[in-house]
Amino acid sequence: MKKRNRIFLAVDIIYMAMIILPIICGIVLKVLTKPPSNGINVSGAQIFFKIPMPIQDLLITEAQINSWLVIISILGLVLFLTHGLRTKNISRRQHIAEWIVEKVENMVKDSMGEYFIGFSSFIVAILGLSGFSSLLSLFGLYPPTSDINIVAGWAILVFILITYYKFKCGPIGYLKSFAEPVAFLTPLNIISEVATPISMAFRHYGNVLSGSVISVLVATGLQGLSSIILGWLPGFLGEFPLFQIGLPAILSIYFDVFSGCLQAYIFAMLTMMYVSGAFPMEDYFAKKQKRKLKKS
Amino acid sequence: MLELAIGIILGGCALGAGCAMIAGIGPGIGEGNAVAKACEAIGRQPESKGAVTSTMLMGCAVAETTGLYALVIAILLIFVAPNILVNVLMNAIG
């Protein structure tokens, strides 16, 4: 019994290290590779190295590295929460895990219907990845969601899902869906089809990026203000950051925590709405019934 | 002459970014309307607060999209476009 307990504890510690170590790695990487800069600095993700490719060089940037760190961290968290599942007198972490699963399944059932219940794991993956990516800026790291490449990747994934569910009634049904409700609206329908992933990517990325740009501008402005007021004092007192204490933190609560979580929720909600809206449920089941009748 | 050309490029980019952000008016009015109606609805039926709030946040996020398009264009004009345009100018001069 005691030996089992010790193994359980050891595995727990490994999982906890899996949660924490990636973030520490990211911070160390940032400290080691950050170029010296002063004053206002709004720049994209830092490029670590390039992999030569036939059409265009593949850039390995801070955004990709950070998003992989978040993925490893979430994997550790999930393994930690589901470690040691029991059917009787369940532990606290199992309560949390069950709560997450129940909430997400209810959400998916409410907004997509019973047919799409298998989507709940995909939705919770998007929620977690997007939310924790935005929260990464609390550690001073570059949030991957403020790089359009990462978010556009997710949006393209959602677009593929939408197209797959539109194809459920065969290619003819897919082409027909563009000519609805009237035939001459076809070009507009094609434009709106293409606009879906673009608007999803821009919405998420624009919100997170605008938050970080405003934070940098406010921090720089406060620095200028405190140097105006305290600048005439000699030595250390002249550089004392009077206004930078506390004020940027209030902004950070809105832009990093609230806005990031809200955007994750909205991205997941839009995914659910688009995918369930793209599926021609009645036609599909009518067709299925017909095929069944033909067989029998 | 070259300084004048580069100055025109930088000024044009800044003006363009400022003009693009006029688009912020639309989402502002739209979201204000949405929140006002949501407040009314909650006042009428306080028990439906949760559903109304989540639907309102959803609608606000969708209404925000046009503003964010403008924001992306403004950011591109300020931080990306000047470099590219100056490079194009330099290549044209040779």
Side-chain angles (χ1 to χ4, degrees):
Chain A
M1 190 66 207
K2 213 160 197 189
K3 202 184 166 195
R4 250 182 95 195
N5 257 343
R6 212 170 287 161
I7 292 172
F8 190 86
L9 210 73
V11 175
D12 255 13
I13 288 169
I14 291 173
Y15 289 158
M16 272 190 208
M18 233 171 123
I19 300 171
I20 299 163
L21 273 183
I23 293 165
I24 295 173
C25 278
I27 293 170
V28 168
L29 203 67
K30 170 133 191 174
V31 169
L32 285 181
T33 60
K34 197 183 179 209
S37 66
N38 43 3
I40 249 184
N41 183 24
V42 180
S43 60
Q46 205 181 319
I47 297 164
F48 287 128
F49 55 88
K50 296 176 184 178
I51 298 172
M53 287 273 167
I55 299 168
Q56 200 179 9
D57 287 353
L58 178 65
L59 305 175
I60 300 298
T61 60
E62 221 177 345
Q64 269 127 321
I65 304 279
N66 281 356
S67 106
W68 273 101
L69 294 179
V70 170
I71 291 169
I72 295 168
S73 196
I74 291 177
L75 178 65
L77 182 68
V78 170
L79 286 175
F80 178 76
L81 284 178
T82 56
H83 188 215
L85 293 181
R86 270 168 291 177
T87 47
K88 272 181 189 171
N89 52 23
I90 56 179
S91 56
R92 209 178 300 158
R93 64 178 87 159
Q94 192 176 343
H95 270 299
I96 298 172
E98 282 179 358
W99 180 79
I100 293 171
V101 169
E102 268 173 23
K103 277 274 165 198
V104 172
E105 282 195 341
N106 276 337
M107 207 165 93
V108 171
K109 233 183 253 176
D110 281 349
S111 48
M112 291 177 94
E114 199 76 44
Y115 182 80
F116 287 98
I117 197 69
F119 256 82
S120 55
S121 47
F122 176 69
I123 297 298
V124 78
I126 276 193
L127 263 177
L129 191 54
S130 167
F132 281 105
S133 295
S134 302
L135 290 180
L136 206 60
S137 58
L138 288 181
F139 294 100
L141 293 171
Y142 182 84
T145 40
S146 68
D147 187 328
I148 194 164
N149 299 312
I150 303 288
V151 190
W154 302 344
I156 288 167
L157 199 64
V158 173
F159 179 69
I160 290 169
L161 274 175
I162 293 171
T163 315
Y164 172 76
Y165 275 98
K166 281 198 171 175
F167 260 101
K168 275 268 180 178
C169 267
I172 298 159
Y174 175 71
L175 290 178
K176 233 187 228 168
S177 74
F178 282 109
E180 275 171 5
V182 201
F184 73 85
L185 285 178
T186 312
L188 282 180
N189 277 333
I190 292 171
I191 290 173
S192 74
E193 190 75 11
V194 177
T196 308
I198 295 175
S199 77
M200 274 178 98
F202 272 14
R203 182 177 302 123
H204 198 308
Y205 139 88
N207 264 303
V208 179
L209 182 69
S210 69
S212 58
V213 169
I214 291 172
S215 300
V216 168
L217 290 181
V218 167
T220 319
L222 290 174
Q223 195 184 356
L225 200 65
S226 44
S227 79
I228 286 171
I229 292 179
L230 294 175
W232 51 275
L233 287 171
F236 167 73
L237 278 176
E239 293 164 7
F240 186 69
L242 179 66
F243 293 102
Q244 281 120 291
I245 301 171
L247 270 179
I250 297 166
L251 272 182
S252 155
I253 284 175
Y254 176 74
F255 284 122
D256 293 338
V257 180
F258 177 72
S259 180
C261 293
L262 186 67
Q263 286 313 311
Y265 172 73
I266 283 162
F267 197 90
M269 278 302 266
L270 283 179
T271 305
M272 290 194 280
M273 274 164 55
Y274 283 138
V275 171
S276 63
F279 183 49
M281 182 95 71
E282 289 160 15
D283 293 356
Y284 179 70
F285 282 118
K287 231 179 182 180
K288 221 177 176 184
Q289 208 91 43
K290 238 184 224 170
R291 227 175 280 161
K292 235 181 206 172
L293 282 176
K294 247 183 202 173
K295 254 184 195 172
S296 61
Chain B
M1 208 54 201
L2 190 62
E3 287 88 3
L4 184 65
I6 291 176
I8 288 173
I9 287 176
L10 293 180
C13 284
L15 271 178
C19 290
M21 284 318 288
I22 293 173
I25 294 171
I29 294 171
E31 283 177 29
N33 272 339
V35 177
K37 293 285 177 194
C39 287
E40 264 177 35
I42 293 172
R44 218 175 290 135
Q45 278 174 304
E47 69 274 6
S48 68
K49 191 183 172 192
V52 168
T53 310
S54 65
T55 313
M56 181 202 75
L57 284 177
M58 191 72 211
C60 279
V62 175
E64 220 173 37
T65 312
T66 49
L68 285 167
Y69 289 160
L71 175 83
V72 169
I73 286 170
I75 285 174
L76 288 179
L77 275 176
I78 290 176
F79 295 111
V80 182
N83 284 334
I84 295 172
L85 292 178
V86 168
N87 279 342
V88 168
L89 180 74
M90 290 300 180
N91 287 336
I93 291 172

